[in-house]
Amino acid sequence: MPEQHADGGLIVPPLLSVCAAELVERVDALADDLFRAITAEIAPYAQLSEEVRADVRDFNERNLHEQLTCMADHRPVRTDSTRQCVRRRATQGVPLDAVLHAFRIGYRLMAHALIERATQQPGTTMDDIAQASMSIWSLLDAASQTVNDVYRETLVGLARADELQRLLLLDALLTGKTADWARLGGTAASLGLPEQGPYICVVAEHSDVTAMEQALLRSGLRSAWRPRPDGLAGIVALPDPALSSGSARVPGPALVLEAVGTAVTGRAGLSPVYTRLRESADALRLATLARASLPSGTHRAVTLDHDPAAALVAAGHDLALRLGITLLDPVLAAPDRKDLMETLTAWLDSDTGSTTEIAEALYCHRNTVRNRLDRVSRLTGRSLLRPADVAALYAGVRALKLGTH
């Protein structure tokens, strides 16, 4: 059995040290045999490009030389070349089982060569041969564990690097840094999006990227998301209108609105449709305005045309709030301010302006609705029959509703 060194490496018995010293002299030929066996037995290696196959041959020789030299010097067998090799193959996309198979072939050839020489050493017993064989297979076990560990570590690192690249590219797009986008080699494919629009930008009060992605995928929509302190910002690719068929097919924007609205846990805003990824920063600004047009605590997704006046108020919210408070201050100071504001809001939100419908919604008589509206008109000095006054009151009410932003 091999000796376990303090640093975790294995030291082979003296018999194998002698045999390894002889094999170091012909490591070139052994590496050639190993390369032929690997490319003959393992399909993924046989399908590699000539450049990568040459790299495989080079690492075969480096691995063999490193391990045989450690054995010959009676030192713990090193794994530096093994680790470098595994990282390289993982990066090149060679499957883990193929990499493990290649190392098993290498140890099989090395074992055959070492044992053949061991049997030729004077005074070698069957027990010596058995001990030598067990040492080699212990080395294979240790190498297999190293291959598994390093391969998985490399995949995790690659995944993190890919995700970081995606986040940097999304940041560049969403902040309008087109120079950074170009410098980073940005492409739609690198974000998992089609090269051509149409696209929609979405801003959502939501923290689960996976849940949002899955909700959109269930509707056949691809998307890329950037977590932010206030939730998520994302770009959604719409179906190509040219590929749409059937009058009953749901339009792309409506599809996104429904999917996001189902998944979101707070407010969400959608931008208008745009065609070039480099327009994403402008789209993000519009999506943010759409979201801001909803009062805090709302759980829904909207577009800008859901409530254009509220979107305009959100765009200049501080000014709108100041004007709204000034306009409605007499109402807010009245003892019955709650009833007055509730009735005014219901009237402004009404599709018909019918006092009968508003009375039913507020559980009061329609004359009560009329009296409250008349009182608002007197307190504010604004006529509910004059469009400009109605627009001012609407903006003031919306500004107060958005005042908790």
Side-chain angles (χ1 to χ4, degrees):
M1 289 292 290
E3 176 187 344
Q4 186 78 38
H5 196 261
D7 65 2
L10 299 175
I11 301 177
V12 299
L15 174 60
L16 284 183
S17 292
V18 174
C19 299
E22 296 177 5
L23 276 183
V24 170
E25 301 301 321
R26 58 179 300 270
V27 73
D28 286 353
L30 193 60
D32 287 336
D33 292 342
L34 175 55
F35 178 74
R36 284 191 291 269
I38 287 174
T39 52
E41 294 185 33
I42 309 175
Y45 278 87
Q47 296 164 0
L48 295 173
S49 67
E50 287 299 322
E51 181 181 358
V52 178
R53 283 158 62 91
D55 184 61
V56 170
R57 167 62 181 77
D58 177 60
F59 264 102
N60 287 346
E61 182 170 343
R62 289 168 60 181
N63 279 330
L64 287 168
H65 189 273
E66 180 181 73
Q67 301 213 3
L68 289 171
T69 301
C70 289
M71 292 182 197
D73 294 343
H74 205 61
R75 293 186 286 110
V77 175
R78 296 175 58 85
T79 60
D80 295 357
S81 290
T82 296
R83 291 175 176 275
Q84 292 176 18
C85 177
V86 174
R87 291 191 191 100
R88 187 75 64 89
R89 301 298 163 254
T91 302
Q92 293 164 341
V94 180
L96 174 58
D97 59 348
V99 178
L100 284 167
H101 190 178
F103 274 87
R104 284 194 292 268
I105 292 174
Y107 275 93
R108 183 182 72 201
L109 292 177
M110 188 167 62
H112 177 77
L114 287 170
I115 297 303
E116 183 180 29
R117 277 161 178 70
T119 59
Q120 297 170 2
Q121 298 298 318
T124 300
T125 65
M126 290 301 296
D127 185 59
D128 292 333
I129 298 298
Q131 291 292 326
S133 297
M134 292 175 65
S135 295
I136 295 171
W137 300 126
S138 293
L139 290 174
L140 173 58
D141 287 342
S144 297
Q145 185 62 50
T146 297
V147 170
N148 272 293
D149 292 345
V150 173
Y151 193 98
R152 290 189 168 88
E153 289 170 5
T154 304
L155 288 188
V156 170
L158 289 172
R160 287 174 178 165
D162 286 346
E163 182 59 22
L164 177 59
Q165 176 77 354
R166 278 169 54 89
L167 294 179
L168 290 174
L169 289 173
L170 276 170
D171 278 342
L173 280 179
L174 296 173
T175 56
K177 297 177 181 176
T178 54
D180 288 351
W181 167 260
R183 180 176 56 81
L184 292 167
T187 63
S190 63
L191 298 177
L193 299 173
E195 290 294 337
Q196 299 295 329
Y199 309 105
I200 279 181
C201 188
V202 179
V203 179
E205 291 176 339
H206 195 80
S207 59
D208 192 335
V209 173
T210 302
M212 187 64 78
E213 284 179 333
Q214 292 301 316
L216 289 161
L217 280 175
R218 284 193 291 271
S219 297
L221 298 165
R222 285 190 281 169
S223 59
W225 295 91
R226 178 63 167 108
R228 308 194 315 173
D230 61 347
L232 299 176
I235 300 170
V236 182
L238 302 184
D240 188 342
L243 302 179
S244 301
S245 61
S247 59
R249 187 177 181 86
V250 178
L255 205 59
V256 178
L257 190 64
E258 181 181 358
V260 173
T262 301
V264 74
T265 56
R267 298 173 299 166
L270 278 63
S271 75
V273 174
Y274 60 104
T275 56
R276 298 173 61 240
L277 277 177
R278 290 172 182 260
E279 298 169 349
S280 296
D282 288 336
L284 174 68
R285 181 176 58 83
L286 296 176
T288 303
L289 278 180
R291 185 187 65 178
S293 71
L294 292 171
S296 295
T298 305
H299 294 262
R300 63 180 301 193
V302 297
T303 58
L304 277 172
D305 58 7
H306 157 70
D307 190 340
L312 287 172
V313 167
H317 183 254
D318 289 343
L319 176 60
L321 182 59
R322 181 181 294 273
L323 293 175
I325 291 174
T326 300
L327 174 64
L328 294 168
D329 184 61
V331 177
L332 298 174
D336 53 346
R337 59 182 173 276
K338 183 177 182 299
D339 292 335
L340 295 177
M341 288 300 298
E342 182 181 54
T343 303
L344 175 61
T345 301
W347 183 76
L348 291 170
D349 288 342
S350 171
D351 292 332
T352 64
S354 168
T355 54
T356 300
E357 292 180 6
I358 296 170
E360 290 176 356
L362 298 180
Y363 301 101
C364 62
H365 195 276
R366 65 178 184 172
N367 287 337
T368 302
V369 173
R370 288 198 186 102
N371 291 333
R372 289 175 182 173
L373 292 176
D374 287 343
R375 184 162 159 71
V376 168
S377 182
R378 289 195 303 272
L379 287 170
T380 60
R382 302 283 177 164
S383 170
L384 300 186
L385 298 177
R386 186 168 179 264
D389 287 349
V390 173
L393 289 169
Y394 186 88
V397 170
R398 284 291 178 268
L400 290 175
K401 287 185 68 175
L402 301 177
T404 55
H405 287 261

